[in-house]
């Protein structure tokens, strides 16, 4: 008979058959569940990469006539000039009437203007020092000095240098028209254009001076000049008008500086672009033009010659070169076009990005910054189609590893999250989902799906709190399969990580959302498998998630309906030829994910007994194990067995498994003769629960399963040894079955497990000690009971492992060290002390044995 202390030890282990009269509390079940129940893992659903880059892939639910095109033609004529007019930042006062050359009936060339006569020195004194120096240089012909030209062109230069008559506003230089400015007079500058050479290069001194004037001169000197001017509270009206005229003249000077800069620096590049035929040279010129405009602060909308410049750039689109078009698009975006022109330039970039070979080109030209700026600065409502193609290009390049980190570092995640939030808020205000916003959301969520591969993206999404907004998008666009599938792919990636999984699990509305989508898209495998995978992740890591999910109306019924539907699909697909085996594999993958969810929610102490008592749940799981077509479905068999293991843990009268325990045990015998060690492990775990029943123990003895369990102790696999030892422990509860441990060297193998795994697994060490305790209940002599060598070894091991300093002297981190100490103190130590005392009282050593090292 067991002593009272022995009986207490018996109640500590979940594999012991509990007294019939005593029901376990929920706290006890949860404590035991740490050993007997476990969550199930599985692989994330595979998403094949699309062969072609399109806005909508072949699996899209949108018909071709109801979605924006991915292929289109784009020419210079597609652009509009009305958008290209510059926007002035200030309203100018009326200018004083100044004589100018009358207009000529000839065509005006906006690129070049007449030079202006030297200015009055009196006016120069009223503007800043930097501007004054510029006027003096220009009036004396020093700013753009003449260069010596070949003799063949001397006549041309002389003719072009002659003053223009008052009767004509247009002069001609070898086929190039020069026009008078419609605003103010221009500075007199020497001719730069020749018939063959085009524009001559300006000197570094000229470039420096022009750039300085574009920046407004030297700020320090301008402030000093301003501070030296006397101030008076009673300025006369005359002095006020004089100050106003000085300000106006300074603005006129800005315009004149722009005109000189335009002629000296910009026009030569435009002529080169117009006349050059070599694409590489044109690309170099375009890069130079962009850099020049940027240095002169002439990008954006507040630039007088913007219309002329854009017109010239639009014409170059017809060259049909991707490298040139990309540089043109970047420059056009920098000039802040809007409306149809913004749409066309986004289409142009999209068209280029469709070719994967252009990814390197786009990265070298830093087009990413331009695309993000469009999304960051432009208005969504009036540019939805432009955003669509802009986001389409971002989607393509976000799939390229070279862009991923750069996109995240440049704020793409924040921009996309803000855009999603803006669209959801707009839908809430309107009360209806606009088709264009739906198309844009498909591209946005697909881009986000690529970005979540970066750990930094996951961190940013958590900080932003983007998960509720993504769920809201799914709610608002529940009828849009493309959007729901993309967001499901995002969540399936994110919930594979514990912090993201916890964030989504805490959003209680997500469970009802996922269930409604499962019911809506029952036959759509792409969406179903991902939502079920997400639910599996949530329920694997959070008991709260198991509780919240099970509370939703029809949660288990929805899972069972899907299980039955895909089970029939799988069974029917087995009749198809091997060439059409894809439906079978896809249906099997859904079943794998569904059994995982059932296994995970069964861990909850309230839900588990309910599922165990549900005939439909148990029936579907057993039918899966019964199927003869499971030969190659390793993961499905393993997950199904794991689900049965968790359900068999609950020893309640209403449990269907308890009523069919012998049939279940017979089914599991098939798994023991497998070459797959995971199959064997799951089957042994179920036997560990079922062997608490006397009838099952007898069945296992009849089938010689105990011999198989003893053989498994040599597997050198920690989990397998633990589970096999649990079955042996339950078998040795019956006194008549304790002798089985002497078969096949069972006692020695148990002691070897204690030696090999004890210091790293005190739970397994505890299980071994309990089994040996049961075996040695009627001990009279330790050497006769265990064998002399085994008894001596066991005595040394127990003495060593009960020494706290030796037992807990492992190199573990703080958390793991606390874990080991907890199980050593609460599980191993009490049992080991009792077993050691029993052996010592029935064993005497003639000489001390050496202490083994571990």
């Amino acid at each position: 008979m067991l002593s009272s202390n022995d009986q207490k030890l018996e109640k500590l282990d979940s594999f012991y058959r509990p007294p019939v009269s005593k029901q376990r509390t929920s706290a006890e079940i949860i404590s035991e569940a740490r050993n007997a129940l476990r969550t199930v893992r599985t692989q994330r659903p595979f998403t094949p990469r699309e062969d072609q880059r399109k806005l909508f892939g072949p699996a899209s639910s949108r018909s071709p006539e109801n979605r924006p095109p991915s292929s289109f033609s784009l020419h210079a004529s597609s652009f509009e000039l009305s958008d290209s007019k510059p926007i002035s930042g200030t309203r100018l006062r009326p200018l004083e009437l100044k004589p100018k050359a009358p207009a000529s009936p000839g065509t005006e060339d906006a690129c070049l203007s007449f030079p202006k006569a030297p200015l009055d020195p009196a006016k120069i004194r009223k503007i800043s020092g930097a501007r004054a120096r510029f006027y003096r240089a220009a009036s004396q012909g020093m700013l753009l000095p003449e260069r010596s030209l070949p003799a063949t062109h001397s006549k041309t230069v002389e003719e072009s240098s002659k003053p223009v008559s008052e009767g004509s506003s247009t002069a001609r230089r070898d086929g190039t028209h020069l026009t008078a400015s419609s605003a103010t007079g221009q500075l007199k500058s020497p001719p730069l254009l020749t018939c063959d050479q085009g524009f001559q290069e300006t000197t570094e001194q000229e470039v420096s001076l022009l750039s300085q004037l574009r920046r407004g001169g030297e700020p320090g000197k301008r402030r000093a000049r301003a501070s030296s001017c006397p101030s008076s509270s009673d300025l006369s009206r005359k002095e006020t008008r004089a100050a106003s005229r000085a300000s106006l003249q300074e603005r006129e000077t800005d315009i004149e500086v722009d005109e000189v800069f335009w002629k000296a620096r910009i026009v030569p590049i435009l002529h080169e672009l117009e006349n050059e035929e070599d694409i590489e040279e044109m690309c170099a010129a375009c890069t130079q033009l962009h850099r020049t405009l940027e240095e002169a602060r002439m990008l954006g909308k507040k630039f007088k010659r913007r219309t002329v410049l854009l017109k010239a750039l639009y014409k170059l689109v017809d060259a049909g070169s991707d490298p040139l078009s990309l540089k043109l698009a970047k420059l056009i975006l920098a000039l802040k076009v809007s409306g149809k022109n913004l749409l066309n330039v986004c289409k142009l970039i999209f068209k280029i990005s469709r070719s994967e070979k252009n990814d390197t080109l786009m990265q070298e030209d830093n087009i990413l910054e331009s695309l993000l700026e469009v999304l960051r600065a432009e208005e969504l409502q009036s540019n939805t189609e432009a955003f669509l193609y802009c986001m389409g290009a971002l989607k393509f390049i976000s799939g390229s590893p070279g862009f991923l980190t750069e996109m995240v570092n440049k704020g793409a995640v924040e921009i996309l999250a803000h855009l999603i939030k803006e669209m959801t808020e707009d839908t809430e205000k309107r009360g209806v989902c606009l088709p264009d916003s739906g198309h844009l959301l498909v591209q946005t969520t697909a881009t986000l799906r690529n970005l979540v591969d970066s750990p930094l993206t996951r961190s940013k999404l958590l900080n932003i709190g983007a998960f509720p907004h993504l769920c809201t998008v799914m709610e608002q666009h529940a009828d849009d399969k493309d959007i729901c599938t993309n967001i499901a792919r995002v969540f399936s990636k994110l919930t594979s990580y514990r912090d993201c999984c916890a964030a989504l699990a805490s959003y209680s509305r997500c469970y009802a959302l996922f269930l409604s989508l499962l019911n809506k898209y029952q036959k759509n495998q792409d969406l179903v498998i991902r939502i079920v995978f997400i639910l599996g992740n949530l329920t694997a890591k959070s008991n709260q998630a198991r509780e919240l999910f099970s509370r939703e109306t029809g949660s288990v019924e929805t899972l069972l309906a899907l299980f039955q539907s895909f089970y029939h699909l799988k069974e029917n697909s087995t009749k198809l030829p091997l060439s059409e085996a894809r439906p079978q594999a896809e249906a099997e993958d859904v079943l794998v994910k569904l059994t995982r969810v059932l296994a995970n929610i069964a861990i909850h102490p309230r839900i588990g007994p309910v599922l165990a008592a549900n005939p439909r749940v148990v029936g579907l799981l057993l039918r899966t194990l019964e199927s003869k077509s499971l030969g190659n479905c390793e993961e499905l068999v393993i997950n199904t067995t794991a689900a049965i293991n968790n359900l068999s843990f609950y020893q309640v009268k209403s449990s269907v498994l308890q009523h069919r325990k012998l049939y279940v045990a017979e089914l599991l015998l098939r798994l023991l003769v497998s070459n797959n060690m995971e199959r064997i492990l799951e089957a042994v775990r179920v036997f560990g629960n079922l062997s608490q029943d006397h009838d099952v123990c007898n069945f296992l003895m009849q089938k010689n399963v105990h011999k198989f369990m003893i053989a498994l102790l040599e597997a050198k696999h920690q989990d397998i040894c633990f589970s096999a030892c649990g079955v042996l422990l339950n078998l040795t509860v019956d006194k008549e079955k304790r002798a089985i441990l002497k078969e096949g060297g069972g006692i020695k193998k148990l002691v070897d497990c204690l030696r090999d795994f004890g210091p790293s697994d005190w739970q397994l060490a505890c299980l071994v000690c309990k089994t040996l305790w049961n075996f040695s209940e009627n001990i009279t002599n330790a050497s006769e009971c265990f064998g002399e060598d085994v008894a001596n070894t066991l005595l040394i091991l127990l003495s060593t492992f009960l020494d706290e300093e030796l037992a807990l002297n492992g190199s573990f981190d703080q958390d793991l060290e606390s874990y080991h100490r907890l199980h050593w103190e609460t599980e191993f130590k009490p049992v080991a002390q009792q077993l050691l005392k029993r052996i010592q009282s029935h064993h005497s050593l003639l000489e001390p044995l050496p202490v083994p090292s571990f």
Side-chain angles (χ1 to χ4, degrees), residues 148-265:
S148 59
L149 299 175
T152 56
H153 303 306
S154 59
K155 182 177 180 180
T156 302
V157 175
E158 290 175 3
E159 291 177 356
S160 61
S161 302
K162 293 180 181 180
V164 182
S165 63
E166 295 182 2
S168 174
S169 63
T170 304
R172 184 175 183 86
R173 283 188 190 154
D174 297 322
T176 301
H177 292 278
L178 305 180
T179 61
S181 172
S182 58
T184 59
Q186 301 301 309
L187 296 173
K188 182 177 180 180
S189 59
L192 300 173
L193 189 64
T194 65
C195 61
D196 294 326
Q197 291 179 316
F199 281 83
Q200 298 178 1
E201 296 181 357
T202 54
T203 65
E204 293 184 3
Q205 182 180 0
E206 295 162 5
V207 172
S208 175
L209 180 55
L210 285 169
S211 299
Q212 179 180 336
L213 291 172
R214 283 294 310 159
R215 294 191 295 269
E218 300 177 44
K221 293 185 179 181
R222 290 173 62 87
R223 286 194 294 271
R225 179 70 59 88
S227 62
S228 64
C229 296
S231 61
S232 174
S233 60
D234 57 343
L235 287 174
S236 65
R237 190 174 302 173
K238 182 177 180 181
E239 291 173 333
T240 302
R241 285 198 299 269
S244 177
R245 283 196 299 269
S247 176
L248 178 60
Q249 288 170 348
E250 187 166 349
R251 286 197 296 269
E252 292 175 4
T253 303
D254 286 338
I255 296 174
E256 292 173 353
V257 170
D258 284 351
E259 291 298 321
V260 173
F261 192 88
W262 168 264
K263 291 190 298 182
R265 299 290 304 278

Side-chain angles (χ1 to χ4, degrees), residues 60 91 111 185 208 258 313 358 460 467 495 614 668 718 819:
S60 174
R91 292 179 60 88
C111 296
S208 175
D258 284 351
L313 297 177
N358 287 332
K460 289 188 174 186
F467 291 5
T495 53
N614 189 321
L668 294 175
Q718 199 163 323
Y819 173 84

Side-chain angles (χ1 to χ4, degrees), residues 523-579:
K523 296 184 179 180
N524 189 289
Q525 186 202 315
D526 284 346
L527 187 52
V528 167
I529 193 173
R530 283 168 177 81
I531 293 178
V532 175
F533 177 74
I534 295 166
L535 290 173
N537 289 342
L538 297 179
T539 54
K541 298 180 175 67
S542 169
N543 211 42
Q544 180 189 16
R546 299 173 194 131
E547 175 75 23
L548 293 174
F549 175 75
S550 64
R551 284 182 181 178
E552 295 295 335
T553 304
S555 56
V556 175
E557 288 75 10
T558 298
L559 296 179
L560 296 180
L562 288 171
F563 195 103
Q564 192 161 1
S565 174
F566 281 92
Y567 181 83
H568 289 318
L569 178 61
K570 178 186 178 302
E571 288 295 304
N572 294 333
S573 63
T574 57
K575 303 174 184 179
L576 297 174
L578 293 177
S579 59

